[in-house]
Amino acid sequence: MAQEITMLHDVARCSACRACMVACKQWHDLPADMSTPFEGQYQSHKDLTSTTWNLIQMHERVDGAGKFHWDFFKKQCMHCGDPACMNGCPEEAIEKKAGGAVVINPDKCVGCGYCTANCPFGIPKVDAESHKSTKCDLCYDRIAEGMEPACSKTCTADAIRFGSQADMLARAQERVDILRAEGHPDANVYNPQGVGGVHMVYVLPEKPAVYGLPENPQTPASINIWKDVVRPVGKIAGVGAIAGVLGLTALTAMRGKGDK
Amino acid sequence: MLVNKKYVKRHTKGFVYLHWINALCFFMLFLTALPLYADTFRFLYDLLGARTLQNAHRFFAVIFVLNPIVGLITAREGIWRMFSEVLKFNGKDITFLIKFPLELIGKHPEGVPKQGFYNGGERMNIALQLATWGVLVGSGALLWFGEGLIDNSIRAWMIPLHSLCAGIGFAGSIGHIYLALVANPDSVHGMQDGTIKVDYANVHHGEWIDDMVRDGKINRQELNDALKR
C-alpha cells in the first residue's frame, strides 16, 4: 500500500519569491495568466484561476499592537482526506490517489462546476476554453516516479516541504513549538479534520482566519443528501409519476371514459 | 358574454403564451440537466456535448426567469388571478382534493363542492409551481453567479435544493399533463385560444360560473341555452 504523503507550507519561512508559482506553471505547461485584474500590489493574481493553480497571497495587515505584518500564504488545493469535490462530482471525474493527492481526470470532467460550489476552500476553477475543471494535482505524476512536487523542489526558503505524512506533521509541530516560543502564541498546524484532514498542511504563525482560512471547514453534508436522497427519490418520483399516469390512462381507455 | 354561444373566456392571450413558454422552458431545462441528474442520460452529453447542453440550460434559464416578469405586463390579470386564487384555498378545496381522485378511477363521488376559477388541485399545483420556480431560480442563480459572493458552505446546498425542485417540478408536470390531456381534455382548450366549453366550466368550476352570472358577465338565459345544447 502506497505511503500517504503530505506537503507542508511553513508560512513563517515563506519569502514570497514565487519560484513555486513559476515551477508549477513550467511543469504543467500552464500559460502566463493575465485574466485577473491587477490591483496595484505585489500579489500577482487576485485569485487562483484555471491556469494558475498555486498562488502566493501577499496580505498586508496591522495587528492589535500596531505592528505591521506582510503575510505570505500559498493558496492551492488542500488535497482533503474526504474531498468534497470528489464526493460531489456527478461524473466521478475526481479521484484520490493512493498517496492522498486529489486529481481531476479531464477526460471524464464535463465542466459542470459542482466541485467549485462544494469545495469549502473555493479551489477548483472551470476553464472557459476547455470547459474542464482544474486545480493543483500535487504533481501526482512526479510523485509516482519517486520525485517531489515541482513547487517543493524549487522552494528557495525551505518553506515548502514534502514527504511522508508522519514526517511532515512532526516537522510542522516542531515548527509551531518554535514559533510559540518566539512570541507567536496562536501558532498552529492547519490540518482541519472536518474535511478528513488534508495533504497540504500549513504552519500558521497566527489563527487561520488571519489568512482567510475557515476555522473549521467541513465536507458539506449537502453532498450525501444530494447523492443518497434527492437524486434517487427524484428518479423514483419521476418514473413513478410516468408509470402512474400511463396506468391511469390505460384504465381510462379500458373503461371508455374521459371527460368529453 | 359567451363566445360562439358555447365557450366562456377564461384566459387572456398573454397568459396562454406565458403558460406555453413556461412549459417549454421547464422541459428544456429538465432535459438539458438530465445527464447530471441520472447516469442513464449521460449519452446526451456524448451526443450533443456537455458545454452545449450546459449553455442551453443557462439560455432557457434566462427565458424561464424573464417570462413571468414580462408576464407582469402582458398577463397581469392572469398572474393576479393565480395569486389571489391560491390565497383563497379553503375547506371546500380540501373536500374536493379528497373526493376527486375517485373520478380518476371511474367512480362518481358525491358531495363534491362547487369549485371556483381554479379548483383545489389547480390551486395546489399553482402554489407548488410558484414555490419551485422561486427556489429553482434562486438556487440556480447562486450556482451560476454566486462564486465569491456567498460562502461555499451555503452555496453547496444549492445543488441538492436545485435538484429537489427539479424532481418535484417534473413529477408535478407529469400529473398536470395527464389531468389536462387525459382526465379532463376539455380543459386544454383554455390553453389554446383562452376559452373553455361552458358546460365543462359549469360542472368543474361551478362557483366561478355562478359568480360571473351574478356579476352580469354571463347572461343567465345565454347560459341555460348553452347548457341545453
Side-chain angles (χ1 to χ4, degrees), chain A residues 6 32 48 67 87 96 99 135 143 155 167 177 201:
Chain A
T6 292
L48 296 175
K67 191 175 172 197
N87 295 345
K96 193 169 82 167
K135 62 175 191 67
I143 294 170
C155 180
D167 285 348
D177 293 341
V201 306

Side-chain angles (χ1 to χ4, degrees), chain A residues 91 116 119 128-129 131 231, chain B residues 36 42 51 54 147 152:
Chain A
E91 305 298 328
T116 70
C119 175
E129 244 181 74
H131 202 66
R231 280 213 309 185
Chain B
L36 284 184
R42 179 75 168 84
R51 195 203 307 233
Q54 287 164 23
E147 190 172 357
N152 272 4

Side-chain angles (χ1 to χ4, degrees), chain A residues 172-201:
Chain A
Q173 192 53 51
E174 273 172 31
R175 286 288 300 146
V176 161
D177 293 341
I178 292 168
L179 287 170
R180 283 182 184 160
E182 287 179 352
H184 295 276
D186 291 333
N188 63 95
V189 176
Y190 191 71
N191 181 19
Q193 296 306 300
V195 292
V198 293
H199 294 86
M200 177 68 218
V201 306

Side-chain angles (χ1 to χ4, degrees), chain A residues 121-192:
Chain A
F121 307 100
I123 300 298
K125 307 288 177 201
V126 178
D127 187 77
E129 244 181 74
S130 67
H131 202 66
K132 303 286 179 186
S133 184
T134 64
K135 62 175 191 67
C136 161
D137 61 6
L138 209 55
C139 289
Y140 73 98
D141 47 348
R142 289 174 62 95
I143 294 170
E145 297 299 320
M147 297 188 280
E148 59 183 302
C151 54
S152 67
K153 177 118 177 98
T154 305
C155 180
T156 60
D158 207 26
I160 309 173
R161 297 290 295 266
F162 176 83
S164 72
Q165 189 176 55
D167 285 348
M168 291 301 102
L169 289 176
R171 177 175 171 82
Q173 192 53 51
E174 273 172 31
R175 286 288 300 146
V176 161
D177 293 341
I178 292 168
L179 287 170
R180 283 182 184 160
E182 287 179 352
H184 295 276
D186 291 333
N188 63 95
V189 176
Y190 191 71
N191 181 19

